[in-house]
C-alpha cells in the first residue's frame, strides 16, 4: 500500500523532513530493485525458451543432444524462480487471501499491511543466515555436465531472499507509520517469547502441537493477508525451531528440492504461452470461429464462453490467462445482446473451475511433479472430467435461456463459417500439437511448452500480424512474477510437508483416513470436501504440494487409481478456488471483468451447484478419468 507524501512534508527552508527523507530513500531503493530484478527475470524467461527449444531441435532434428542443456536450464530456472518471487513481492502479486483485510477501514488495513510486511521480514531474517550456509555447503558439490560448483545454482535462493528483504524494507520506508511498525515488532517479539516459554508444555502435547503451528498459525497469517508462501514457511521454521533441534539450513534444502524439478520449468513457459496467444490474436480467432457456429442460438454466446475456455485452457495452462483472453473478446457482444454483467462473470468464474483438469493445467504438472504420477497419463485423463463439467454448465445455461427471447445474433452463412474456420485453423492446431506431443511421448511437458512458444510466435507473426512488440517486455515480466509466486509456494509447501512427515503426522493421517466409513468411496468423498475447503484458502498448487504426498499413497493403498484420485482432487480444488466468499479465483474473474463481486456472488451458485453434481459423477464413475488411458 503506497501513500503519497503531502507537499507540506518538504520545506524549502528546512530541507527534507524525516518522513520525506524516509519516503525518498524507500522509493530510490524500490526503483533500483525494479530495474535490477525485472530486466534480469525477463531475460531469463527468454533464455530458458531459447535453450529448451535448442535442446529439442538438437535432439530430434540433428540427433545430437546437448548434454549440458538440461543442467544449465535447471541452474537458470532456480534463478528465474527466485528473481520472479522478488518481482512478485515488489508488485504485490504473491498469492494471498485479501477477502478479510479488504473489509477493514483504511487505517486498520494500513496497520495489518505493516504487520504483514514485518512478518515477511521475520521469516526472511530467520532463513537469511541458513540460506548462505546452504550455499557454502553446496560449494564442494560439482555438477555433472558443466563441472561447476552447485553453489552457483543454490545461491539463487540466498540472493532472492536478500532482495525480498530489501523489497520489504523499501515498502515499510514508503508506506508504514512508525507506530504501526513498533506495535508489529512488539507483537511478534511477544509471540516469539511466548513460544520459547511454552516449549515444555508444547512438547507434552505430542503431535497436537501441530494444530497450533500449522493450523492456527497458518490460518491466522493467511487471514491477515500474509503471502501463502510466508505463512507456510514461517510456520515450518517456528515449529522446527521450537519443537526440534533441526538446523534451519535443512528448510532451505527442502525449498530447493521443491523447486528443483525441471518439469516445473513448464510453469513459466506455459504462463508465457498463455499471454502470447492472447497478444498474437490467436485466442480471438478461435472465439470468432465458435461464435460463427453457435453464436446465433438462444444463449449461444454463453456456450461459446464454455467452449472457448475449454480450448484455451488446453494452451495456456493458467486460469487467469484464460479468463483475461476470453472476457474482452466476448463480453462486449454479450452485453449488446442484453446479458447481465453479473451473469457473465458468474459463467466466466464457473468456467474457470470447470476447466482446471484440462491439460496442460499448471496444477496437473505440479501434481505429477510432487506425487510421481505420470504427467502423460494426467494429460490424457484430464479431458473427460472437464467435458462432464461443461455439460453440467451447459444444462444450467439451457435452463436459464429456455423461455428467453431468441438471440439477436445473426446466423452466419456457410461461407462465413468456412472463412472463420480457415482463419482459426493455425490457432486451433496448437492445443492438438501440445497434447499429442506429450501424450505420445514425443516431448516432455517442458519441451513441448518451448515448442508451443515458438509455434505461437511464428504463426502469430505470419498469419495474424497484430502483435504489438511493446507488449513483449511487460508480458515477460508478468510471466516471471506469476511463475515466481507459484514456484516459491511449492518450495515452502515442500518444506512444510517434510516437517509434517518428520513429526509422524503423515503416518497418523494414513491410519485415520484408512478407517473412514464407506471404504474407497467414502475416502473419495471426504477428500473432495477437504480439497474444496483447501482450495478456498490455499489455491490448488500449494494445497496439492502440501497434501498430495500425504494422501496419494493412502488412495493407492485403498485401490483408487492415481489418475482418478488426481482428477477428483483437482476438480474439487477448482470448485474451492472459484467459490465465494473465500476463493481468490472468483475475485480474479470479477477483477478481469471489472464487476462488483457482490452482484456476481448471487448469480454464481447455480453454476457451481452444477459443478458439484459433476464432481459427484466424477467420483462415482472412475471411467471418466481413466477410460482413455492406455492399458498395460
Amino acid at each position: 500500500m503506497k501513500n503519497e507524501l503531502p507537499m507540506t512534508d518538504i520545506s524549502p527552508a528546512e530541507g527534507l523532513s524525516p518522513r520525506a527523507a524516509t519516503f525518498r530513500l524507500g522509493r530510490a531503493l524500490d526503483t533500483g530493485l525494479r530495474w535490477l530484478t525485472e530486466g534480469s527475470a525477463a531475460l531469463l524467461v527468454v533464455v530458458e525458451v531459447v535453450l529448451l527449444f535448442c535442446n529439442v531441435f538438437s535432439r530430434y532434428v540433428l540427433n545430437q543432444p546437448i548434454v549440458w542443456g538440461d543442467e544449465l536450464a535447471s541452474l537458470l530456472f532456480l534463478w528465474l524462480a527466485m528473481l520472479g518471487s522478488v518481482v512478485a513481492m515488489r508488485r504485490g502479486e504473491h498469492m494471498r487471501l485479501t477477502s478479510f483485510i479488504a473489509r477493514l477501514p483504511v487505517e486498520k488495513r494500513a496497520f495489518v499491511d505493516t504487520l504483514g510486511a514485518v512478518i515477511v521480514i521475520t521469516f526472511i531474517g530467520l532463513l537469511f543466515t541458513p540460506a548462505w550456509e546452504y550455499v557454502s555447503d553446496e560449494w564442494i558439490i560439482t555438477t555433472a555436465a558443466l563441472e561447476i560448483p552447485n553453489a552457483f545454482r543454490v545461491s539463487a535462493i540466498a540472493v532472492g531472499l536478500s532482495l525480498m528483504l530489501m523489497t520489504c524494507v523499501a515498502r515499510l520506508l514508503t508506506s508504514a507509520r512508525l507506530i504501526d511498525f513498533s506495535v508489529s515488532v512488539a507483537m511478534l517479539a511477544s509471540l516469539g517469547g511466548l513460544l520459547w516459554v511454552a516449549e515444555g508444555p508444547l512438547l507434552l502435547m505430542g503431535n497436537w502441537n501441530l494444530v497450533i503451528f500449522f493450523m492456527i498459525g497458518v490460518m491466522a497469517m493467511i487471514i491477515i493477508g500474509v503471502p501463502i508462501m510466508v505463512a507456510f514457511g514461517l510456520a515450518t521454521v517456528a515449529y522446527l525451531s521450537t519443537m526440534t533441534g533441526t538446523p534451519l539450513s535443512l528448510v532451505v534444502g527442502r525449498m530447493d528440492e521443491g523447486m528443483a524439478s525441471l518439469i516445473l520449468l513448464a510453469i513459466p513457459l506455459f504462463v508465457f504461452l498463455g499471454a502470447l496467444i492472447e497478444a498474437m490474436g490467436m485466442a480471438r480467432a478461435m472465439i470468432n470461429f465458435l461464435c460463427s457456429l453457435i453464436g446465433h442460438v438462444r444463449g449461444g454466446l454463453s456456450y461459446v464462453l464454455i467452449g472457448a475456455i475449454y480450448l484455451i485452457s488446453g494452451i495456456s495452462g493458467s486460469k487467469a490467462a484464460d479468463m483475461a483472453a476470453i472476457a474482452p473478446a466476448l463480453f462486449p457482444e454479450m452485453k449488446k445482446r442484453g446479458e447481465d454483467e453479473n451473469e457473465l462473470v458468474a459463467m466466466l468464474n464457473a468456467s474457470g473451475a470447470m476447466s482446471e483438469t484440462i491439460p496442460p493445467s499448471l496444477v496437473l504438472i505440479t501434481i505429477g511433479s510432487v506425487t510421481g504420477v505420470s504427467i502423460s497419463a494426467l494429460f490424457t485423463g484430464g479431458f473427460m472430467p472437464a467435458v462432464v463439467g461443461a455439460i453440467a454448465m451447459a444444462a444450467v445455461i439451457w435452463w436459464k435461456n429456455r423461455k428467453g427471447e431468441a438471440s439477436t445474433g445473426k446466423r452466419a452463412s456457410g461461407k462465413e463459417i468456412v472463412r472463420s474456420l480457415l482463419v482459426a485453423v493455425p490457432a486451433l492446431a496448437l492445443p492438438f500439437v501440445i497434447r499429442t506431443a506429450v501424450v505420445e511421448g514425443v516431448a516432455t511437458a517442458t519441451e513441448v511448452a518451448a515448442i508451443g512458444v515458438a509455434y505461437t510466435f511464428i504463426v502469430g507473426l505470419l498469419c495474424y500480424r497484430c502483435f504489438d512488440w511493446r507488449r513483449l517486455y511487460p508480458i515477460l515480466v508478468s510471466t516471471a512474477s506469476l511463475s515466481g509466486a507459484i514456484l516459491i509456494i511449492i518450495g515452502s509447501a515442500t518444506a512444510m510437508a517434510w516437517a509434517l512427515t518428520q513429526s509422524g503426522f503423515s503416518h497418523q493421517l494414513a491410519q485415520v483416513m484408512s478407517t473412514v466409513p464407506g471404504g474407497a468411496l467414502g475416502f473419495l468423498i471426504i477428500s473432495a470436501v477437504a480439497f474444496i475447503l483447501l482450495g478456498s484458502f490455499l489455491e490448488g498448487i500449494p494445497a496439492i504440494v502440501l497434501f498430495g504426498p500425504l494422501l496419494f499413497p493412502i488412495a493407492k493403498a485403498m485401490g483408487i487409481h492415481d489418475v482418478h484420485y488426481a482428477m477428483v482432487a483437482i476438480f474439487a480444488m477448482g470448485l474451492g478456488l472459484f467459490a465465494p466468499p473465500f476463493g481468490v479465483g472468483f475475485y480474479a474473474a470479477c477483477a478481469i471483468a471489472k464487476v462488483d463481486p457482490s452482484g456476481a456472488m448471487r448469480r454464481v451458485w447455480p453454476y457451481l451447484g452444477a459443478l458439484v453434481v459433476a464432481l459427484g459423477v466424477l467420483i462415482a464413475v472412475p471411467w471418466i478419468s481413466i477410460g482413455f488411458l492406455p492399458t498395460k
Side-chain angles (χ1 to χ4, degrees):
M1 180 177 176
K2 295 181 180 179
N3 298 324
E4 295 295 334
L5 273 177
M7 295 302 294
T8 53
D9 279 357
I10 302 176
S11 169
E14 300 177 5
L16 293 177
S17 69
R19 178 73 183 92
T22 301
F23 180 84
R24 289 199 171 186
L25 176 62
R27 287 294 297 270
L29 180 58
D30 180 74
T31 301
L33 288 168
R34 182 185 63 175
W35 285 109
L36 174 64
T37 57
E38 289 188 357
S40 302
L43 178 61
L44 283 173
V45 174
V46 175
V47 171
E48 289 284 30
V49 171
V50 173
L51 177 59
L52 283 173
F53 183 78
C54 289
N55 280 351
V56 175
F57 183 83
S58 180
R59 182 182 302 119
Y60 294 110
V61 178
L62 304 180
N63 200 26
Q64 293 180 343
I66 303 175
V67 294
W68 45 266
D70 285 349
E71 195 170 280
L72 179 60
S74 178
L75 186 153
L76 297 177
F77 173 52
L78 189 57
W79 279 94
L80 170 60
M82 293 307 300
L83 288 178
S85 298
V86 179
V87 173
M89 182 72 70
R90 202 195 68 79
R91 291 160 57 124
E93 293 178 349
H94 272 286
M95 294 182 185
R96 63 193 189 112
L97 185 68
T98 59
S99 306
F100 295 101
I101 61 174
R103 297 186 176 95
L104 296 175
V106 174
E107 189 168 320
K108 290 184 179 179
R109 192 186 313 158
F111 168 72
V112 173
D113 284 341
T114 301
L115 177 61
V118 173
I119 290 174
V120 175
I121 289 174
T122 301
F123 167 64
I124 297 173
L126 289 171
L127 285 187
F128 185 82
T129 300
W132 287 106
E133 290 175 353
Y134 184 65
V135 173
S136 178
D137 293 340
E138 293 292 307
W139 191 262
I140 61 174
I141 300 175
T142 303
T143 61
L146 294 174
E147 297 183 347
I148 60 174
N150 196 45
F152 285 113
R153 185 184 68 83
V154 301
S155 59
I157 299 177
V159 171
L161 290 175
S162 302
L163 293 175
M164 278 191 274
L165 181 62
M166 295 169 64
T167 300
C168 291
V169 170
R171 179 181 301 172
L172 289 176
L173 290 174
T174 56
S175 64
R177 297 183 305 171
L178 181 60
I179 182 64
D180 291 343
F181 175 74
S182 301
V183 172
S184 299
V185 171
M187 288 174 62
L188 288 182
S190 300
L191 183 59
L194 181 62
L195 288 177
W196 181 71
V197 171
E199 178 181 349
L202 286 172
L203 286 171
L204 293 176
M205 291 174 63
N207 274 354
W208 283 106
N209 58 40
L210 298 175
V211 174
I212 295 176
F213 290 97
F214 295 113
M215 183 173 293
I216 298 175
V218 170
M219 291 310 304
M221 286 186 277
I222 289 176
I223 286 172
I224 65 172
V226 173
I228 292 174
M229 66 94 174
V230 174
F232 284 0
L234 186 56
T236 303
V237 169
Y239 170 76
L240 293 175
S241 300
T242 306
M243 299 290 98
T244 74
T246 304
L248 294 185
S249 58
L250 288 179
V251 175
V252 181
R254 298 291 78 76
M255 292 177 65
D256 176 28
E257 179 184 319
M259 295 185 287
S261 175
L262 192 59
I263 190 62
L264 293 177
L265 181 53
I267 289 177
L269 297 187
F270 276 119
V271 171
F272 183 43
L273 179 58
L276 281 181
I277 64 166
E278 187 277 328
M280 290 288 182
M282 295 173 69
R284 183 172 293 273
M286 288 187 280
I287 291 172
N288 288 342
F289 169 63
L290 292 174
C291 287
S292 70
L293 283 179
I294 57 174
H296 61 280
V297 304
R298 185 179 288 131
L301 291 184
S302 300
Y303 299 119
V304 170
L305 175 66
I306 297 174
I309 284 281
Y310 195 102
L311 282 175
I312 293 176
S313 290
I315 305 175
S316 74
S318 167
K319 294 289 118 12
D322 300 342
M323 294 187 292
I326 288 170
L330 272 180
F331 279 19
E333 180 62 27
M334 295 177 82
K335 288 179 182 179
K336 285 181 185 178
R337 299 190 185 188
E339 291 277 7
D340 183 88
E341 63 180 9
N342 293 313
E343 190 76 20
L344 299 182
V345 174
M347 286 188 287
L348 180 69
N349 176 73
S351 296
M354 170 272 296
S355 59
E356 279 285 77
T357 64
I358 300 174
S361 163
L362 302 183
V363 181
L364 284 178
I365 295 169
T366 304
I367 211 170
S369 173
V370 301
T371 65
V373 181
S374 166
I375 291 180
S376 175
L378 290 171
F379 276 23
T380 302
F383 295 118
M384 287 304 295
V387 168
V388 174
I391 293 172
M393 281 194 60
V396 176
I397 292 171
W398 173 84
W399 179 262
K400 288 194 169 207
N401 289 276
R402 73 192 189 285
K403 295 181 180 179
E405 296 181 2
S407 171
T408 57
K410 179 183 177 182
R411 180 190 290 269
S413 65
K415 287 184 179 180
E416 289 173 331
I417 293 175
V418 171
R419 187 183 303 116
S420 64
L421 173 60
L422 292 176
V423 172
V425 162
L428 291 171
L430 180 55
F432 297 99
V433 170
I434 290 174
R435 293 163 180 167
T436 302
V438 175
V439 172
E440 297 298 326
V442 175
T444 66
T446 306
E447 292 171 338
V448 82
I451 295 172
V453 170
Y455 177 92
T456 301
F457 255 112
I458 294 171
V459 169
L461 295 176
L462 295 181
C463 299
Y464 298 105
R465 302 179 183 180
C466 62
F467 182 62
D468 183 354
W469 284 96
R470 289 173 296 184
R471 297 185 62 183
L472 181 59
Y473 180 74
I475 287 174
L476 289 169
V477 174
S478 296
T479 296
S481 176
L482 177 57
S483 303
I486 292 172
L487 292 165
I488 199 165
I489 282 180
I490 294 176
S492 296
T494 301
M496 184 172 170
W498 174 80
L500 288 171
T501 301
Q502 295 301 307
S503 71
F505 171 75
S506 58
H507 179 67
Q508 294 172 340
L509 179 66
Q511 288 182 323
V512 172
M513 295 294 282
S514 62
T515 60
V516 298
L521 181 60
F523 177 76
L524 281 169
I525 293 173
I526 291 176
S527 296
V529 173
F531 277 116
I532 289 174
L533 296 175
L534 289 169
S536 296
F537 289 95
L538 301 182
E539 299 197 46
I541 289 176
I544 203 63
V545 173
L546 184 58
F547 289 96
L550 302 178
L551 295 179
F552 269 73
I554 303 172
K556 191 170 185 179
M558 300 185 75
I560 302 171
H561 196 287
D562 286 339
V563 174
H564 180 210
Y565 190 68
M567 295 307 142
V568 171
I570 294 171
F571 203 102
M573 285 188 300
L575 274 170
L577 176 62
F578 288 91
F582 303 122
V584 295
F586 171 75
Y587 297 101
C590 293
I592 288 168
K594 300 178 182 177
V595 170
D596 184 0
S598 60
M601 196 176 296
R602 294 191 296 269
R603 302 294 189 94
V604 76
W605 298 112
Y607 299 101
L608 294 181
L611 293 181
V612 170
V613 174
L615 176 59
V617 173
L618 181 60
I619 291 172
V621 186
W623 180 89
I624 296 172
S625 302
I626 63 177
F628 292 93
L629 296 180
T631 56
K632 295 183 179 180

